[in-house]
Amino acid sequence: MIRWVLVISFCIGVGGYVFGAEELIAIPKLFLSTFKGTLLQRGLLSHCWFLWSLSFIYILLPTLSRLSMSRKRLIFGVTVSLGLLVHIFSCVVGMPLEALVPQTFRIWIWLEYFLLGGLIYPLCKKGVRVWTSGMFLAVSTIVAVGWQLFAGSFLMPETACAAHAEYFYDSVTCVVWCSALFVFVEALRPSRKPWIHLASLTMGVYLFHKLVICFAGCFIPLDDVVWGSGVGFLAVLFSSFVLVGIIKKLIPNVFDSFCRL
């Protein structure tokens, strides 16, 4: 985290100095503000809140690993229940209560998904047909998207629908959809090689995608029409994968240092 923020802050500071917008002496100040922004979800690297949340979960990992499976199921049930209550109350009051807590500190959600992966994986070992898991994924996708659009438009209008999908992470529909996606990918085990290759790039894509958006915004208007049509999303996703793939090919050691957990 510190190395990533330091490199980005240095590049921004040098870039600003070259173009006459900043002084080099501002780099330490820029580093501190950027580092703080990763924690509170602000600024250029606001998306790096995920790394903080993951760090908090890993702090709990030694304790979680000592618990029995029944205790883990109990904790998972508590987190699901808490998320369900928060989501229901959000629909009742007409605004997302999750918005009161920065994503970094919504530990009940991230702990829920962390435990979910461990609870689902043993079921995948029993063998699930691709066709069955694919159909379940398709149905759960339709339900999850439909509920988000309905709740965002009529029950929680302040969420601006899909523009703030973060407020639906603790909904049952989203949890079920993530479970279906996990099971479907595991069912594709005979053809896992391309998935494994793509998976090795995803952390880099996540870290770089906002920089790609900022760079693209200097040349083309990334307005609501572009994003709403899906063109912006696909373009940024493809560009990020290409960029990260090139970096991994040219400087694999540096890539592994910055983009692997």
Side-chain angles (χ1 to χ4, degrees):
M1 170 77 79
I2 295 177
R3 285 182 296 178
W4 176 253
V5 176
L6 182 60
V7 169
I8 296 301
S9 301
F10 180 78
C11 292
I12 295 174
V14 172
Y17 174 75
V18 171
F19 291 100
E22 297 284 350
E23 297 180 358
L24 286 177
I25 197 172
I27 291 180
K29 181 179 179 181
L30 184 62
F31 168 77
L32 293 175
S33 62
T34 306
F35 188 77
K36 180 181 178 181
T38 62
L39 179 64
L40 301 178
Q41 203 177 347
R42 299 172 183 170
L44 180 62
L45 298 183
S46 59
H47 62 297
C48 288
W49 64 265
F50 170 79
L51 300 179
W52 284 104
S53 299
L54 193 61
S55 299
F56 296 152
I57 295 298
Y58 273 103
I59 291 175
L60 299 175
L61 185 57
T63 301
L64 293 173
S65 61
R66 296 190 184 97
L67 299 177
S68 62
M69 185 59 69
S70 60
R71 292 288 182 86
K72 293 177 182 177
R73 291 194 185 99
L74 176 61
I75 296 176
F76 176 73
V78 171
T79 57
V80 171
S81 300
L82 179 59
L84 180 61
L85 289 174
V86 171
H87 195 65
I88 290 176
F89 276 110
S90 297
C91 294
V92 172
V93 301
M95 65 165 290
L97 299 181
E98 296 92 340
L100 302 176
V101 182
Q103 285 199 80
T104 311
F105 304 106
R106 298 174 195 171
I107 303 301
W108 75 92
I109 299 178
W110 316 134
L111 183 59
E112 174 185 348
Y113 280 100
F114 184 80
L115 293 172
L116 178 63
L119 295 175
I120 289 180
Y121 186 70
L123 300 177
C124 298
K125 287 185 177 180
K126 297 180 180 180
V128 181
R129 293 182 178 180
V130 176
W131 171 256
T132 303
S133 59
M135 288 297 296
F136 183 63
L137 175 61
V139 173
S140 61
T141 300
I142 294 173
V143 173
V145 173
W147 170 250
Q148 181 174 325
L149 292 175
F150 172 77
S153 301
F154 301 102
L155 301 181
M156 294 184 290
E158 294 187 28
T159 61
C161 295
H164 293 276
E166 64 180 84
Y167 302 137
F168 293 86
Y169 291 159
D170 53 359
S171 66
V172 174
T173 55
C174 188
V175 174
V176 172
W177 177 80
C178 289
S179 303
L181 179 61
F182 187 94
V183 173
F184 176 70
V185 173
E186 282 297 318
L188 295 173
R189 186 176 296 272
S191 57
R192 289 184 68 185
K193 192 171 182 179
W195 293 97
I196 293 176
H197 176 67
L198 288 177
S200 67
L201 303 177
T202 51
M203 179 55 70
V205 170
Y206 180 79
L207 292 173
F208 275 100
H209 83 277
K210 196 163 185 179
L211 300 179
V212 173
I213 293 174
C214 293
F215 181 77
C218 297
F219 302 95
I220 57 176
L222 298 177
D223 51 23
D224 293 338
V225 176
V226 174
W227 288 113
S229 63
V231 175
F233 167 76
L234 294 176
V236 170
L237 180 64
F238 177 76
S239 302
S240 300
F241 265 112
V242 172
L243 174 63
V244 172
I246 293 174
I247 294 175
K248 184 179 181 180
K249 193 74 174 178
L250 295 178
I251 44 176
N253 293 333
V254 176
F255 175 86
D256 291 342
S257 177
F258 279 89
C259 299
R260 292 187 63 181
L261 297 177

